[in-house]
Amino acid sequence: MIDVFAALGHGFSVAATPLNLVFCLLGAVCGTLIGVLPGLGPVATISLLLPATYALDPIGAIIMLAGIYYGAQYGGSTTAILVNIPGESTSVVTAIDGYKMAQQGRAGEALAIAAIGSFLAGCFGTVVIALLGPPLALMTQKFASPDYFSLMILGLVSAVVLANGSPFRAVSMIFLGLLLGMVGMDINTGEARMTFGLIELSDGINFVALVMGLFGVAEVISNLENKFTRIVNHSKINSIWPSLKVLRGAWGAITRGTLIGTLFGILPGGGATIASFSSYALEKRVSKTPERFGNGAIEGVAGPESANNAAAQTSFVPLLTMGIPTSATMALLVGALTLHGIAPGPTIISRQPDLFWGLIASMFIGNAMLVIINLPLIGLWVRLLNVPYRILYLVIAVVCAIGVYSVNNSSFDIYMTVGFTALGYILRKLDAEPAPLLMGFVLGPMVEENFRRSLITSHGDPMVFLQRPISLVLLLLSAVLLISIVMPSISRRRQEVFQE
Amino acid sequence: MKRILLAALLMGTGLSATVASAQEWPSKPIKLVVPYAPGGYTDAVGRITARFLEKELSQTVIVENRAGGGGIVGSDLVSKSPGDGYTLCVCSVGAISIAPVAQTTSYDPLKSFKPISVVSTIPQTVIVNPSLPINSMEDLVKYAKANPGKLTYGSSGAGGLMYFSVALFDARVGTKMTHVPFKGGSPATAAVVSGEVNLSFTNMTDALPQIEANTVRALAVTSASRSEFLPKVATVAETVSPGYAVESWNGIMAPASTPDAIVTKISAALKKMAADPEVKKNMAVAGASTVFTTPAEYTAQIGKEVDQWRTLLKEISDKKT
């Protein structure tokens, strides 16, 4: 343990050189900015900035690029809360209650809780990397396809909980999401599915185009239709600082969100998006007053925002300890390291201690910088609501388009955004919430992939899902959750028991 | 008469315009299309190449990532671009030599492009999970023959080189292993480390760090000759399958209509690049060897590879029926 602190101390001596502090700050500011701008994500930004880092020393470069990634998780909640448009996919669920809070004049409160939760979760995630990185990476090695399959099933079942309306609509939305997730090349056979011969669809539907269409532009359009609902009563904007009572209410959600995010971040394929969705579902499930969710519950902001930040930090674990990237952003960081002459692998901690510990130390510094940057900005963001919507919506639409285009440099993705905007608008009219759809879309391909892979490696034996302890536990949890949703009488009786 | 004169004049200016454009090339920034996502191995090769060409040609070289369809989207885009030397492709074996045979592409690998030079090659490494009692290629063949269908191998998906190289191996030595596709080479390699699959033919970039850390066991390399990165590891050809050679390459290709004068200029620049020590060093970090070929050699190589995969696919489909 003392070794860890000595090493971390050394890390701080690397990260706290004036130049590296500047890089850390640059990364944090840049990350906040792209987080706030809808559609523009860390992947596009890091790949744009990659050539600019050639001249830098590798540690400075990686400190800055990492800062962009976790900084984006801070900024993503801002537009979700203020205008119901998530800046990042991880903030989709934040919009559900965050925007309601903003409409009630509690925007400052929601933004402050999001920043505080993010800070605490980010620091906790970094402590976990420093203390437990290598053993945790070994733990993820115990996860095989059947376990992932069961985990994804649990995720799908909890997606029903996300919805505020009828479970039937939620389930339909999940299935629509699953269907959209099927588009693209079948990795088992190489056949193109539902691509209509369009080569652009062979890798599946672009996630950012889907999110920006369903959540971003569709929101703009439905606001244009109705002049009166969106406008916040400005006189009602309370103080920016949350009261002690609010903090106390959010505390449990922040803790649970942090733990969920830490866990999901480490698992390959899980990542920050699923962590934030799961945290929201959990908060609603454990709440004594679940009816507040969807109407401005602070836990619905605190939990997911903590979860996505913790996950953003711990998703560095597989990369830094095993050399295995688990997401597009991590793959990009591998590329950045390679271009700087460092091949990331299981030996990176012993061979590049300066880089490993310097990066971890910079994460503490970066999180502190982010909270310092973001808290004073809240006042400014809230005032953004005073900008006339006729100007604001144009800015939002243009930024969404740039963001979607920047993912693949493809104009086809813009057309797709237009299509999903139409779908999003129709779904709004039908009172069908798009959040469960997104969960189905994200999890569907992973469910299929892991299901088929499990059966291939077990040579066709379906019992493999029940024989593995991790998988069995997850499936039992899913079954319990499913029963409690399907039989409302059971859950009602349960609640009565709890209240007694 | 006037008309004819005018036409002649127009033709003349048109002609001189193309000649001039070839002489003045490059007079504006060059776009280097990388048909894969940023951060990958081809992206690294593309950026190293762009950095060198920028210095060599004193002209800005922009890397544009156009990922999708295992490299098909970006390659297709370049094949349809104007052949003026300002749009080039960092093409790769998968989209050029395999995809046109294994599926339908709107381009023909030899008719739609002018191959200029291979810039880097990277062999695959046969890696197995260390808990298996397999220490050599001979062991692997023996084990696979004793347990048909029981050994599992990870790949980057059904259309990728990681699958085709094992399919070719199975066909050559008469083994039968079970294909387990993943989404990309890196999770497939991770699955060999964790033991979820028994083995894979993984490219050197992904394999090298794991071999060094002893998390996997390297049995052989797939290239015709041994790799500079693992000189002690034998080739598949010298152990169990004479003549077996699979190598992943990245090369610069231009649209088919590109004038030869420009191709010659690029070829000369790439020849210098292959001798540049800094380029060599940077390629080595990515696990790649720096290579130069003439346009004719490159064209011949693609032709040979297309034949190899076409024969293999026919063998596989013949066996099924």
Side-chain angles (χ1 to χ4, degrees), chain B residues 163-164 167-168 171 309-321:
Chain B
Y163 161 68
F164 276 98
L168 183 69
W309 300 121
R310 188 167 284 141
T311 318
L312 173 70
L313 282 174
K314 199 170 169 298
E315 268 175 49
I316 294 174
S317 66
D318 284 353
K319 257 183 213 162
K320 272 183 191 157
T321 49

Side-chain angles (χ1 to χ4, degrees), chain A residues 77 115 170 182 191 218 249 285 300 333 377 423 447 453 458 466 484 497:
Chain A
S77 56
M182 305 271 286
E191 289 299 315
R285 216 58 212 157
L333 291 178
L377 275 179
L423 178 67
V447 170
R453 194 180 301 137
S458 75
L466 303 178
S484 74
V497 172

Side-chain angles (χ1 to χ4, degrees), chain A residues 54 145 187 203 322 332 409 459, chain B residues 38 47 65 68-69 149 158 196 210:
Chain A
Y54 286 152
S145 301
I187 59 161
D203 285 338
M322 312 289 292
L332 213 51
N409 298 324
H459 299 281
Chain B
R47 287 175 195 274
N65 296 90
E196 188 173 2
Q210 305 298 340

Side-chain angles (χ1 to χ4, degrees), chain A residues 434-448:
Chain A
L437 182 154
L438 201 66
M439 196 73 166
F441 179 78
V442 172
L443 293 179
M446 291 199 248
V447 170
E448 186 199 350

Side-chain angles (χ1 to χ4, degrees), chain B residues 167-319:
Chain B
L168 183 69
F169 180 80
D170 270 347
R172 293 282 174 276
V173 301
T175 49
K176 192 170 169 287
M177 298 189 272
T178 302
H179 179 209
V180 186
F182 286 80
K183 259 193 173 144
S186 160
T189 311
V192 181
V193 176
S194 74
E196 188 173 2
V197 297
N198 302 127
L199 71 145
S200 78
F201 285 34
T202 294
N203 79 39
M204 190 62 87
T205 320
D206 289 345
L208 211 49
Q210 305 298 340
I211 295 169
E212 281 171 0
N214 287 320
T215 49
V216 298
R217 187 182 294 141
L219 300 184
V221 291
T222 59
S223 45
S225 53
R226 291 192 183 198
S227 160
E228 53 185 303
F229 303 106
L230 294 170
K232 283 186 194 148
V233 176
T235 65
V236 175
E238 68 182 271
T239 49
V240 292
S241 178
Y244 181 93
V246 174
E247 209 167 25
S248 179
W249 51 256
N250 281 123
I252 306 299
M253 294 174 86
S257 57
T258 310
D260 286 333
I262 292 177
V263 170
T264 313
K265 275 190 184 175
I266 303 172
S267 175
L270 293 175
K271 193 171 183 179
K272 273 193 194 161
M273 181 173 112
D276 187 271
E278 204 197 318
V279 169
K280 273 195 173 152
K281 199 188 96 207
N282 288 330
M283 291 276 194
V285 172
S289 311
T290 315
V291 176
F292 172 76
T293 60
T294 64
E297 286 165 349
Y298 192 4
T299 311
Q301 180 182 341
I302 295 170
K304 210 174 121 194
E305 284 177 356
V306 168
D307 282 345
Q308 168 173 299
W309 300 121
R310 188 167 284 141
T311 318
L312 173 70
L313 282 174
K314 199 170 169 298
E315 268 175 49
I316 294 174
S317 66
D318 284 353
K319 257 183 213 162

Side-chain angles (χ1 to χ4, degrees), chain A residues 142-289:
Chain A
K142 298 263 182 296
F143 261 73
S145 301
D147 310 317
Y148 281 114
F149 168 78
S150 304
L151 181 67
M152 301 304 157
I153 291 296
L154 182 61
L156 281 180
V157 175
S158 34
V160 182
V161 183
L162 278 178
N164 297 309
S166 78
F168 172 73
R169 276 202 193 119
V171 171
S172 326
M173 285 297 100
I174 293 171
F175 275 96
L176 187 57
L178 289 173
L179 201 65
L180 290 171
M182 305 271 286
V183 174
M185 195 185 279
D186 175 355
I187 59 161
N188 288 54
T189 62
E191 289 299 315
R193 289 194 302 210
M194 296 193 279
T195 62
F196 306 103
L198 292 166
I199 189 84
E200 287 89 348
L201 283 176
S202 60
D203 285 338
I205 289 168
N206 178 348
F207 182 70
V208 178
L210 178 79
V211 173
M212 287 307 127
L214 281 186
F215 294 89
V217 193
E219 168 71 20
V220 168
I221 291 186
S222 48
N223 278 326
L224 291 179
E225 189 179 67
N226 193 335
K227 279 184 200 160
F228 306 103
T229 50
R230 197 206 72 89
I231 292 168
V232 182
N233 188 346
H234 298 296
S235 61
K236 254 174 58 188
I237 293 178
N238 300 345
S239 86
I240 288 162
W241 302 101
S243 63
L244 263 179
K245 189 172 149 260
V246 172
L247 268 175
R248 220 174 292 139
W251 181 247
I254 291 176
T255 313
R256 283 184 293 271
T258 303
L259 291 177
I260 287 185
T262 305
L263 214 66
F264 273 88
I266 299 167
L267 293 174
T273 308
I274 302 179
S276 63
F277 275 88
S278 307
S279 164
Y280 186 90
L282 178 74
E283 287 314 315
K284 197 172 166 186
R285 216 58 212 157
V286 298
S287 171
K288 289 192 185 103
T289 47

